[in-house]
């Protein structure tokens, strides 16, 4: 059963397995034949006309592909960090960065398998601007990726309709936050949760997919199209 | 679009619809308000939001989660407030800087949760009386030196942070009907994880123990021991949604890495049992 939840043949089947999905189906039934159906469909198809780039898709599957894209980016980055280690890397740093690489690969492969046939293809990255031989550059980029990843998952939570997927995103985002704090401490001890990332209410950031995808685009040769992702 | 027709159809299929939405008149008022503000294309989204709310969790559930979170934040806030004030406990410099940063976040979380509970027409529960010796009020529990023994203080801090992460994670699904509250809870959740990471790094340095890492390996307590095992039990899983993470797709992912890559939730009952000895 859980297998089906994660590797759906049809997105609608998948959605219907959850309590919310059942509610949604009820609504769709209710609305069939009313003017609302036409309006809903019209509202959706307007966005679908934009086919520029790799389309992440819509609904929960779109959000999972969005997460898959970010994990691909992070995994590729740390793989390169370990392959071409910066000058003066300490044994401790190498050990911790290797752990992070493995976590990101685990996340990437998990999403790939979870999405199955609905997964976007492997992405081409663009790390031309990153000097992997320099500690400062590598850690600054890592900080960007980790803080961005945390804000992406935090912002995507409300866009997810299936509680199982929300739970999975929650299991991953706290690990990304652990990474973010470590990387920040490696750059400057004590900056794990400073006021550049945590506000006066003690809250981390939450960013929309549009903001995150724009920030990630500079590190990707592949162009991502998030125009069908949910926005509320 | 014919809103009246939609509502009539809805009523046929779900006679209780007006208990879910507040009343037919209320629905009409909502629509009138929305159509004044929104372009037609945006209406389906607004519709979705309204029904998600109506069929989602009740405010009672949301308030219950917020009161639960408030209890944990009271615990953390008082713990760090007392720790930072305890003479000769936390070394000056970076350690004291980190502890005061975390203390201030926990106090901010207390305030935010109280304000949110009030905004949802609830009454924030009062701060419990705490016994950080874990003695249920005896003051003579197994942790009675927590404010004089720095290593023990950090061990308890780590446990509170890791437990807090798991506690918020376990409640996310109960907040899905209120996007603002859910997002705020997620934004607290990741801050607790940042704290956990840093406290673990502090322990690693303080104990010169490279086995203590910013993330949780298996169900390892990081050398703290059986007293806090309940806060780590369940973290050892290597399968997520039936997908085995170890060596997934031919990648060299060890058992340790597979457990570290995913943090696991705790139920509110599990968390309350864990913090019970600290509450008088």
């Amino acid at each position: 059963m859980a297998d089906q939840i994660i590797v759906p043949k049809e997105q609608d089947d998948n959605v219907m397995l959850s309590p919310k999905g059942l509610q949604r189906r009820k609504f769709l039934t209710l609305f069939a034949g009313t003017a609302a159906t036409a309006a809903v469909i019209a509202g959706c198809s307007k966005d679908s006309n934009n086919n520029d780039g790799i389309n992440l898709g819509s609904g929960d599957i779109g959000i999972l592909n969005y997460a898959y894209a970010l994990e691909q980016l992070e995994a590729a980055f740390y793989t390169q960090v370990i392959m071409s280690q910066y000058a003066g890397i300490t044994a401790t740093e190498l050990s911790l960065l290797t752990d992070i690489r493995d976590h990101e690969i685990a996340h990437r492969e998990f999403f790939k398998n979870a999405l199955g046939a609905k997964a976007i293809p492997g992405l081409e990255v663009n790390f031309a601007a990153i000097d992997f031989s320099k500690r400062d550059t590598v850690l600054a980029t890592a900080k960007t990726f980790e803080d961005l990843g945390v804000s992406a998952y935090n912002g995507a939570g409300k866009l997810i309709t299936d509680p199982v997927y929300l739970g999975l995103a929650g299991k991953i985002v706290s690990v990304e936050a652990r990474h973010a704090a470590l990387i920040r401490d490696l750059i400057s001890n004590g900056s794990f949760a400073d006021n550049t990332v945590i506000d006066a209410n003690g809250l981390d950031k939450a960013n929309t997919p549009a903001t995150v995808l724009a920030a990630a685009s500079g590190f990707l040769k592949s162009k991502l199209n998030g125009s069908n992702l949910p926005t509320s | 679009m014919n809103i009246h027709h939609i509502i009539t159809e809805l009523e046929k299929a779900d006679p209780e619809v007006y208990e879910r939405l507040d009343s037919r008149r209320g629905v009409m008022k909502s629509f009138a308000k929305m159509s004044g503000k929104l372009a037609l294309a945006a209406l389906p989204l607004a519709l979705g939001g309204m029904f998600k709310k109506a069929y989602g969790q009740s405010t009672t559930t949301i308030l219950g989660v917020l009161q639960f979170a408030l209890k944990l934040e009271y615990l953390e806030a008082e713990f760090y407030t007392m720790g930072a004030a305890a003479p000769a406990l936390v070394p000056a410099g970076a350690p004291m800087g980190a502890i005061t940063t975390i203390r201030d976040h926990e106090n901010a979380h207390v305030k935010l949760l109280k304000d949110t509970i009030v905004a949802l027409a609830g009454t924030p529960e009062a701060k419990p009386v705490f016994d950080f010796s874990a003695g249920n009020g005896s003051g003579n529990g197994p942790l009675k030196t927590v404010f004089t023994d720095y290593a023990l203080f950090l061990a308890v801090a780590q446990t509170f942070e890791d437990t807090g992460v798991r506690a918020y994670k376990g409640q996310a699904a109960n907040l899905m009907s209120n996007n603002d509250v859910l997002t705020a809870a997620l934004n607290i959740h990741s801050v607790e994880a940042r704290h956990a990471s840093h406290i673990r790094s502090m322990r690693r340095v303080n104990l010169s123990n490279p086995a203590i890492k910013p993330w949780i390996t298996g169900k390892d307590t990081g050398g703290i021991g059986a007293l806090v095992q309940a806060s780590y039990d369940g973290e050892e899983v290597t399968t997520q949604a039936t997908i085995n993470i170890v060596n997934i797709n031919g990648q060299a992912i060890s058992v340790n890495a597979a457990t570290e890559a995913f943090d696991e939730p705790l139920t509110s009952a599990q968390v309350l049992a864990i913090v019970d000895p600290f509450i008088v």
Side-chain angles (χ1 to χ4, degrees), chain B residues 2-278:
Chain B
N2 186 340
I3 304 294
H4 289 268
H5 180 62
I6 294 170
I7 298 298
T8 305
E9 290 297 310
L10 194 53
E11 192 181 14
K12 278 183 206 159
D14 180 5
E16 288 165 24
V17 63
Y18 297 127
E19 289 165 31
R20 303 179 191 278
L21 306 162
D22 44 1
S23 68
R24 186 179 179 107
R25 177 174 305 180
V27 173
M28 288 307 140
K29 249 162 86 186
S30 301
F31 274 114
K33 236 163 89 188
M34 283 195 295
S35 50
K37 281 189 209 155
L38 302 172
L40 185 62
L43 256 177
L45 284 178
L47 260 175
M50 192 177 88
F51 289 124
K52 188 176 175 191
K53 212 169 158 186
Y55 285 81
Q57 299 101 358
S58 68
T59 307
T60 313
T61 306
I62 303 264
L63 280 170
V65 173
L66 292 171
Q67 300 281 17
F68 166 71
L70 177 60
K71 184 176 278 186
L72 300 179
E73 296 290 353
Y74 275 138
L75 176 80
E76 290 186 310
E78 184 153 306
F79 174 73
Y80 289 110
T81 299
M82 290 179 72
L89 177 69
V90 182
M96 185 57 98
I99 295 303
T100 55
T101 294
I102 296 174
R103 174 198 66 193
D104 293 350
H105 289 161
E106 309 300 7
N107 279 306
H109 294 164
V110 167
K111 180 176 184 308
L112 182 73
L113 289 167
K114 286 167 97 170
D115 290 350
T116 307
I117 289 168
V118 170
L120 293 175
T123 305
E125 283 171 16
K127 180 165 70 72
V129 176
F130 294 115
D131 172 4
F132 290 106
S133 80
N136 275 116
S138 72
N140 198 32
L143 308 177
K144 59 176 179 284
T145 57
V146 69
F147 293 124
T148 53
D149 176 347
Y150 181 52
L152 181 61
F153 174 75
L154 289 183
V156 175
Q158 177 195 300
T159 307
F160 283 165
E161 297 295 348
D162 283 336
T163 305
V165 171
R166 301 186 70 179
Y168 275 98
K169 202 186 311 296
Q171 295 307 310
N174 291 329
L175 301 174
M176 289 181 81
S177 64
N178 188 321
N179 284 345
D180 291 341
V181 174
L182 173 62
T183 301
L186 291 173
N187 290 349
I188 293 177
H189 170 245
S190 59
V191 172
E192 303 293 347
R194 287 175 186 267
H195 294 170
S197 173
H198 187 79
I199 295 282
R200 287 170 156 272
S201 292
M202 290 172 81
R203 292 190 68 233
R204 176 192 183 97
V205 171
N206 188 54
L207 300 175
S208 304
N209 181 354
I212 302 172
K213 302 198 277 192
W215 27 89
I216 301 168
T217 307
K219 57 176 182 179
D220 186 31
T221 63
I224 302 173
L227 195 62
V228 302
Q229 189 60 56
S231 289
Y232 294 91
D233 282 345
E235 285 284 1
E236 71 277 19
V237 299
T238 53
T239 297
Q240 298 296 339
T242 75
I243 296 171
N244 182 14
I245 305 299
V246 179
N247 297 330
I248 182 171
N249 296 340
Q251 303 284 336
I253 303 299
S254 67
V255 169
N256 281 352
T259 64
E260 292 163 356
F262 296 81
D263 281 340
E264 301 299 322
L266 286 172
T267 65
S268 60
Q270 288 171 315
V271 172
L272 290 173
I274 286 167
V275 301
D276 179 73
F278 297 98

Side-chain angles (χ1 to χ4, degrees), chain A residues 2-3 6-7 20 23 26-27 30-31 33-36 39-40 43 46 92 95-96 99-100 102-103 105-110 112-114 146-147 150 153-154 157-158 160-163 166-168 170-175 177-182 184-185 189-190 192-193 197-206 231-232, chain B residues 1-2 5-6 9-10 13-14 20 41 44-45 47 51-52 55-57 94 98 101-102 105 108-109 112 162 165 169 172-173 176-177 179 182-184 186-191 193-198 200-201 204 213-216 237 239-243 245 248-249 251-254 256-258 260-265:
Chain A
D3 225 347
I6 293 307
V7 192
K20 281 205 168 182
Q23 290 160 9
K26 203 169 172 190
F27 274 119
L30 297 171
F31 278 98
T34 69
V40 168
K46 196 181 168 191
T92 297
S95 162
L96 293 171
D99 277 7
I100 297 180
D102 291 350
H103 302 163
I105 289 175
H107 295 163
R108 179 189 69 196
E109 298 301 318
F110 167 75
K112 184 181 181 184
N113 288 12
E146 296 295 351
D147 282 343
V150 171
Y153 279 103
N154 282 349
K158 69 173 183 182
I160 297 173
T161 63
D162 187 325
L166 178 64
L168 288 163
K171 290 175 176 214
I172 292 174
V173 63
S174 55
V175 175
R178 291 173 188 272
H179 295 167
L182 170 73
R184 288 172 148 268
D185 281 337
N189 185 30
F192 59 100
V197 71
I198 309 300
D199 71 14
N201 289 319
L203 298 179
D204 217 318
K205 290 187 190 305
T231 54
S232 66
Chain B
M1 59 203 272
N2 186 340
H5 180 62
I6 294 170
E9 290 297 310
L10 194 53
D14 180 5
R20 303 179 191 278
L45 284 178
L47 260 175
F51 289 124
K52 188 176 175 191
Y55 285 81
Q57 299 101 358
T101 294
I102 296 174
H105 289 161
H109 294 164
L112 182 73
D162 283 336
V165 171
K169 202 186 311 296
M176 289 181 81
S177 64
N179 284 345
L182 173 62
T183 301
L186 291 173
N187 290 349
I188 293 177
H189 170 245
S190 59
V191 172
R194 287 175 186 267
H195 294 170
S197 173
H198 187 79
R200 287 170 156 272
S201 292
R204 176 192 183 97
K213 302 198 277 192
W215 27 89
I216 301 168
V237 299
T239 297
Q240 298 296 339
T242 75
I243 296 171
I245 305 299
I248 182 171
N249 296 340
Q251 303 284 336
I253 303 299
S254 67
N256 281 352
E260 292 163 356
F262 296 81
D263 281 340
E264 301 299 322

